[in-house]
Amino acid sequence: MNEPQPASRHQTLAALGGVLSALAGLAVGSVVAGILGSRQTPVVAVGSAFIDRVPAWLKDLAISLFGVHDKTALRVGILIVLLALAAVAGILAVRRWWAGAALTAALAGVGIVAAATRPDSGQIDFVPSLAGGVASLLLLRLFANRLSTSTGTSGAVTRRGFLQLAAGVGIGTVAVGAGGQLVGGRRSAVKDARLALNLPKPPTLEPPAGVQAKGATPWATANADFYRIDTALSVPLIKPSDWRLRIHGMVDKELNLTYEDLLKRDIVHKWVTLTCVSNEVGGDLIGNALWSGVLLKDLLAEAVPSPDADAIQSRSQDGFTAGTPLSTLTDDRESLLAFAMNGEPLPLEHGFPVRIVVPGLYGYVSATKWLVDIEVTRFDLFDAYWTPRGWSEQGPIKLASRIDVPRSKAEAGPVTVAGVAWDQHVGVSKVEVRVDGGPWQQATLAADGSIDTWRQWHWTWDAPRGNHVLQVRAFDAKGNAQIEAEAPPAPDGSTGLHSVDVRVS
Ligand SMILES: Nc1nc2c(c(=O)[nH]1)N[C@H]1C(S)=C(S)[C@@H](COP(=O)(O)O)O[C@H]1N2
Ligand SMILES: [Mo]
C-alpha cells in the first residue's frame, strides 16, 4: 500500500472542518434566536437544561470553584465538549459521511430538545438550534468534500483549497456572530429600559365587583397568556427615550409627542377585551386586560382634525398599518394610546412602548403595536395593511360566545358549563345554552364589567351519561341574537354557534 497522503495530515484538517462547522452553527443559532426574539440560543438552551438537572453537590462544587462566574464556566464547558465532539464528527465525516452527519445531527438534537422542553419555552424556541444544526451539516459536507476530492491532486493543493474554505467560513462565522450580538444586545437594552420604568399604577388590578364567574376562564387574561398576533418576524425594539409619535395629516395642528409627554397627561385605566378577526368560532384569539394610557380623544382634540377627515392610518415602527374610523376615536368609548397592560409596561410582544386600543374593533383595524405615527386622513385615500389582502376595510367586532368548560369530558350529575360572550362596545344582555339541540336554557351572567369587555356566564347542567352536544348563543344589549349561520374569519370575522361534544361517564 502506498498512501498518497499521510492520513494524519488530513486528520487535523478534518477535525478543524468539524470545529468550524460547529462554530458557524452556533453563530447561526444565536442570530436566529435574536431575530425570533427567543432566548434559547443553542448554548443557552443546553446550559439551562443542564442547570435544571445537575445534582446539588455538583452545583455547589461549581459555585465554590467558579463563584459568580459559574455560568460562564458552564458555557465554556459546554463549548469545549461540543467542539471536541465536533472535531470527532469532522474526522468521521471524511471517512464515512453518514457517521459524521449522524453525530452532528445528534449534537443539534440535544439543543433542539433542550430548547423545546424549557418550562418557559414557546413554539419557536427549537428553531435556533435547528437552524444551527442545518448550517453545521451543510458546512461539514463542504469540508468533507474538499478533503475527499483530493484523489489525484497533490496534498498541497488539497490543503490550500481547504484552508481557503476554512478562512471563508471563519470570517462568515465572526460576521454572523457579531450580528447576533448586536440584535441580542439591543433587545436586552430595551428590556432593561422597560424594567426601569416606573409608571403610574392603576388604582387596583382587581376585577370590577362581582364579575368573577365560577369555573372557566378568568376575568383578566395574564400578560403571559395573552394571545399574540402580528406580522413582526422579530419584535420591534424601541426604547421609551427614543420613542416619538407624530400626529399629522388632515389636522390644524400637528403634534409630536415623547414618552415623557404622554406620562404627564391625564391617565386612564380601562378594562378592554381585545379580539382578533382571525378568531374561529370557539377560538382563543381574545383576551381581557386592564390597559393604562391617555385618551386619543384628548390628543385629537388638540390636533383638531379637518371636518373632511373620516379615518386615521396608524403605523408601527415596522411598517404595519391599520385604518380606524375617526368617530371611534373621538366618541365616548375611551379609545386609548396605551402604555401599560395589567399594571405593567406593555410587554415587548404586545407593542412596547405604546400601542392603540379601541373598544369594539378587531385588532387588525385598530390595535397598532409599536406605534410611531398617526395620520388623520380619509378612507378613500389609503389602504391599510390587511385591506388589499382580502380583509374588510372596516372591522367592528361581532357578537359571539364560547363554551370553556367542559370541553370534552364530564362526570354524570351536576356539571358547571361556563364560558364567555362578547360584543365590545355594544354589550351582552343574555346567554343561552342547549343540550343535544333541545330547548335553549338561560345561563347566569356575571355582573357586567362594562360593555367594552367580555361577559362571563355559567349554567348548571344535570348531565346524564352518554355523548352529548352543548351549544351556546348570546344576545346583544339591544336583544339581537348571535348570527347562527357559519362564516369563516375572512373577510370580516367568523360567525356561527360554538358546539362542544362532551362524553359524560
Ligand atoms: N405593529 C402591529 N400591530 C398590530 C398587528 C401587527 O401585525 N403589527 N396586528 C394586529 C392584530 S391583527 C391584532 S388581533 C392585535 C393583537 O394584539 P396582541 O398581539 O397584543 O394580542 O394587534 C394588532 N396590532
Ligand atoms: Mo388580528
Side-chain angles (χ1 to χ4, degrees), residues 137-415:
L137 269 179
L138 290 174
L139 289 171
L140 192 69
R141 180 83 232 191
L142 271 183
F143 281 122
N145 283 352
R146 276 294 153 104
L147 288 183
S148 49
T149 49
S150 64
T151 338
T153 49
S154 82
V157 170
T158 306
R159 198 182 154 84
R160 186 165 347 113
F162 182 91
L163 290 177
Q164 280 168 352
L165 176 64
V169 170
I171 291 169
T173 300
V174 170
V176 170
Q181 288 295 315
L182 274 181
V183 183
R186 170 120 194 101
R187 190 176 165 84
S188 43
V190 172
K191 275 189 174 167
D192 290 347
R194 175 177 178 272
L195 289 178
L197 288 171
N198 191 6
L199 299 179
K201 288 276 171 225
T204 170
L205 289 166
E206 291 302 304
V211 296
Q212 206 71 262
K214 61 175 169 179
T217 306
W219 158 259
T221 313
N223 291 354
D225 300 335
F226 211 93
Y227 80 94
R228 175 186 169 194
I229 294 284
D230 53 62
T231 59
L233 179 58
S234 72
V235 173
L237 299 168
I238 309 171
K239 282 192 198 166
S241 55
D242 294 337
W243 182 80
R244 297 287 181 278
L245 174 65
R246 185 167 165 239
I247 302 180
H248 62 109
M250 298 169 67
V251 293
D252 281 357
K253 183 172 160 246
E254 183 172 317
L255 298 185
N256 280 286
L257 293 166
T258 65
Y259 196 78
E260 271 187 17
D261 294 339
L262 267 198
L263 298 187
K264 280 190 215 128
R265 305 182 69 98
D266 290 340
I267 289 164
V268 171
H269 309 277
K270 186 176 167 64
W271 290 97
V272 178
T273 302
L274 217 63
T275 310
C276 182
V277 69
S278 299
N279 198 33
E280 306 268 356
V281 172
D284 56 7
L285 300 181
I286 178 167
N288 188 38
L290 181 59
W291 307 94
S292 308
V294 305
L295 293 179
L296 270 162
K297 179 164 60 174
D298 294 351
L299 291 170
L300 287 168
E302 273 174 45
V304 192
S306 135
D308 296 335
D310 65 0
I312 66 156
Q313 184 178 25
S314 58
R315 181 181 300 274
S316 72
Q317 196 221 34
D318 66 337
F320 169 88
T321 54
T324 315
L326 199 52
S327 60
T328 63
L329 308 172
T330 52
D331 68 10
D332 63 355
R333 78 182 67 197
E334 302 192 308
S335 297
L336 290 178
L337 211 55
F339 50 73
M341 182 177 182
N342 290 324
E344 284 173 21
L346 290 179
L348 264 51
E349 294 74 20
H350 294 288
F352 185 77
V354 179
R355 75 176 307 171
I356 296 179
V357 172
V358 178
L361 301 186
Y362 287 123
Y364 82 107
V365 289
S366 64
T368 301
K369 305 191 270 188
W370 314 292
L371 175 76
V372 293
D373 190 279
I374 291 178
E375 184 187 357
V376 176
T377 176
R378 300 183 48 85
F379 273 112
D380 56 19
L381 295 179
F382 74 102
D383 267 341
Y385 185 87
W386 284 112
T387 314
R389 293 174 168 83
W391 297 83
S392 165
E393 183 179 75
Q394 305 272 333
I397 296 176
K398 293 179 181 173
L399 171 63
S401 52
R402 189 179 76 190
I403 299 169
D404 294 337
V405 288
R407 273 277 169 132
S408 59
K409 279 187 245 154
E411 277 178 26
V415 169

